[in-house]
Amino acid sequence: MWKLKFGLDSVGDGQKLRSVNNHCGRQVWEFDPEIGSPEELQKIEDARKAFSDHRFQKKHSSDLLMRIQFAKENPCVVNLPQVKVKDKEEVTEEAATITLRRAINFYSTIQADDGHWPGDYGGPMFLLPGLIISLSITGALNAVLSKEHQHEMRRYLYNHQNKDGGWGLHIEGPSTMFGTTLSYVTLRLLGEGAEDGKGAMEKARKWILDHGGATAITSWGKMWLSVLGVYEWSGNNPLPPEVWLCPYTLPFHPGRMWCHCRMVYLPMSYLYGKRFVGPISPIVRSLRKELYTVPYHEIDWNKARNLCAKEDLYYPHPLVQDVLWTSLHYLFEPIFMRWPAKKLREKALVTVMQHIHYEDENTRYLCIGPVNKVLNMLCCWAEDPNSEAFKLHLPRIHDYLWIAEDGMKMQGYNGSQLWDTAFAAQAILSTNLAEEYGPTLRKAHNYFKNSQVLEDCPGDLNVWYRHISKGAWPFSTADHGWPISDCTAEGFKAVLLLSKLSPEALGDSLDFQRLCDAVNVILSLQNADGGFATYELTRSYQWLEIINPAETFGDIVIDYPYVECTSAALQALALFKELYPGHRSEEIDNCIANATNFIEKKQATDGSWYGSWGVCFTYGGWFGIKGLLAAGRTYENSSSIRKACDFLLSKELTSGGWGESYLSCQNKEYTNLKDNKPHIVNTAWAMLALINTRQAERDPTPLHRAAKILINSQMQNGDFPQEEIMGVFNKNCMISYAAYRNIFPIWALGEYRCQVLKVL
């Protein structure tokens, strides 16, 4: 049976793992054949079968393996009756209060002892393939992943295969060449034969061949196939490592790029510069025959450089980009592959590896995300297969793996621990029931204290293109350590709100200097236009997006300012100013004023804000409105808030509530879920936005209808159902936030109970 372990308990004997806080927040799944009663094992099998049977209708897992484990370890005693509000009944304060108590009672039982809430942060289908390809190349596959791990990974891939035989970019997406080819290759490397899977493998291969073969895979896919040896490097557009030797003054210097972009293309440029190819195994030779419509030796690799299947093409290459890559391919690369210019390439490769090692060391070998994690690991092996760096990478692989009833996946980060916990604490506090949940909030408070980044990265930050991080909060854990504007802001808000409670209940508050450090890092992240980007200041120009080589992602080249990040920072600073009015008050006032102007300018003419990190206009609307309210704007004095409320109300479903499809994100146009059904998370976001504008004083009817949906959706044990995917990045790829199903109904009903029912 699988068991989720936390902190020091997750560190195996002899593992070389480094930590700044005794692994607080670490969560790792381990298989133990000796544990699990027959009843527990049967529950797990039933959950797996139910998912498999309904996988085409419900593509998102419900995180049941974790819930089954916690149900045994922290049983939830439900002594309150389940509430259902009939169509013609009014929602009462009693109904809302009972629902909230049942919800928080349950949610408290799935909190880890260190204070964070664990959960599924999967969704993208291109993450696991990179890991399996890298482990296969390095010969570490069977050493790192047990047969149980590999079995669950195969289960996951088969469960998320579409009816047409392909795989999407993410679990809810239509089939793409990127997702299908890499998933097929992954299954083959995990031991599946070309005819296995009860016809599933043949169906997948047919999809690939019917859509032009693997030469039509995206540029990231071409790179992965090249290192494996089933695609030629000459079929890739150039990724010259020499760009890292250019002066930083150039607007296209990689140090000016969004950190996720540069941290992916950093190791890619190393592998490209070396033309690295792993061992040519029998499976590799077989894949060369399976993936293409013509014999491998007859493929026109030069033509293949710019091929991309129409199913994958979200961001087509503009003409200027094709001219650039062709020029580099024909003029630059032939020179730098030969002496004497080859000496410069060797210098560039050394420089690139220095940056890779710096990233590895300063994230305790977690790296900023799963793509550069496995790429960095592969580069360390390519540099020296026996290196200490490669050995230090291996145990950190497990930080990225998560298992649910749909199988084992690779997450989009090493978890969303801090982010979810910050929202959860604010949600519980919104209910005015905090005194009933002191132990839960105390544990969360400890997690905030243990997860704040206490030091900047070492050395000259300019040399390594890093921003200050002291005082920030990360998305996941302190060991990860990358500072993020909105994570810092949400963590900071939670800490400040908790400081209003008695120390007897929560323990000592964060000391004032650490609060000041958080203020400092937030202020340092504001751009000249008043907006906040994610990890760093915006360092270059929007026109640089013209060289975005990733056909399937939008807006990846620079770190753009976002409404969500700006609003979160504004809210945090406004709350700090309320509690500590004397600290850097003029700077904070200026920051809030500029951030407010940014939010107002970003609003569309229809009153909406595009949400870049959640689905989509309901998410953006919640942040946009909350930011303006924190700055002192009101419904009465702000046309922006009035337009935003009108927009949200115009999207209310006739049955009540809100339900927004991920298609809103990729098409940038509000789209309801199929059959116009409501979604509890979208409904909660819209409720939170409207409640805080005093919608109840104008017309409470939409709020009552929405509250009824949330109350009636609650399950027998106090949990809420997992519905469609609600996270997004880079416009086109969806990602799971499994905790949102619990957090936001609690938060919305908490605000509804206190600001609507108690007022009316």
Side-chain angles (χ1 to χ4, degrees), residues 102-160:
R102 296 178 79 253
I104 304 172
N105 285 348
F106 172 81
Y107 199 46
S108 296
T109 68
I110 60 172
Q111 183 185 26
D113 287 341
D114 63 16
H116 85 273
W117 272 272
D120 183 351
Y121 191 58
M125 293 301 299
F126 61 91
L127 303 178
L128 186 61
L131 172 64
I132 301 306
I133 289 171
S134 297
L135 290 177
S136 178
I137 289 169
T138 61
L141 181 63
N142 294 324
V144 174
L145 301 177
S146 67
K147 67 179 187 297
E148 289 83 12
H149 282 86
Q150 295 182 45
H151 177 74
E152 290 300 329
M153 289 173 176
R154 291 191 293 269
R155 184 199 305 276
Y156 177 73
L157 291 170
Y158 281 132
N159 268 332
H160 292 288

Side-chain angles (χ1 to χ4, degrees), residues 29-49:
W29 286 94
E30 292 183 6
F31 184 80
D32 186 345
E34 302 299 322
I35 62 173
S37 66
E39 293 77 18
E40 288 172 310
L41 295 173
Q42 188 59 51
K43 280 184 182 179
I44 292 170
E45 286 308 311
D46 290 345
R48 287 169 173 161
K49 185 177 186 303

Side-chain angles (χ1 to χ4, degrees), residues 86-228:
K86 296 178 181 177
D87 285 345
K88 295 183 180 180
E89 287 182 347
E90 292 186 357
V91 179
T92 64
E93 184 181 343
E94 181 186 21
T97 304
I98 290 173
T99 302
L100 283 167
R101 286 196 170 108
R102 296 178 79 253
I104 304 172
N105 285 348
F106 172 81
Y107 199 46
S108 296
T109 68
I110 60 172
Q111 183 185 26
D113 287 341
D114 63 16
H116 85 273
W117 272 272
D120 183 351
Y121 191 58
M125 293 301 299
F126 61 91
L127 303 178
L128 186 61
L131 172 64
I132 301 306
I133 289 171
S134 297
L135 290 177
S136 178
I137 289 169
T138 61
L141 181 63
N142 294 324
V144 174
L145 301 177
S146 67
K147 67 179 187 297
E148 289 83 12
H149 282 86
Q150 295 182 45
H151 177 74
E152 290 300 329
M153 289 173 176
R154 291 191 293 269
R155 184 199 305 276
Y156 177 73
L157 291 170
Y158 281 132
N159 268 332
H160 292 288
Q161 186 177 21
N162 292 327
K163 284 183 178 179
D164 62 7
W167 284 267
L169 182 65
H170 55 88
I171 57 174
E172 293 190 12
S175 298
T176 62
M177 187 64 73
F178 187 34
T180 304
T181 302
L182 290 187
S183 295
Y184 178 86
V185 167
T186 302
L187 282 167
R188 293 287 280 115
L189 295 175
L190 287 171
E192 292 295 277
E195 316 302 325
D196 285 349
K198 298 179 181 178
M201 294 295 282
E202 294 170 271
K203 201 172 180 181
R205 191 164 63 254
K206 184 178 186 302
W207 192 98
I208 294 168
L209 298 177
D210 286 351
H211 291 79
T215 51
I217 199 170
T218 61
S219 57
W220 283 25
K222 295 181 197 296
M223 183 279 308
W224 278 121
L225 296 182
S226 296
V227 297
L228 182 60

Side-chain angles (χ1 to χ4, degrees), residues 221-242:
K222 295 181 197 296
M223 183 279 308
W224 278 121
L225 296 182
S226 296
V227 297
L228 182 60
V230 298
Y231 190 97
E232 295 299 308
W233 278 112
S234 57
N236 287 258
N237 280 320
L239 289 172
E242 288 77 16

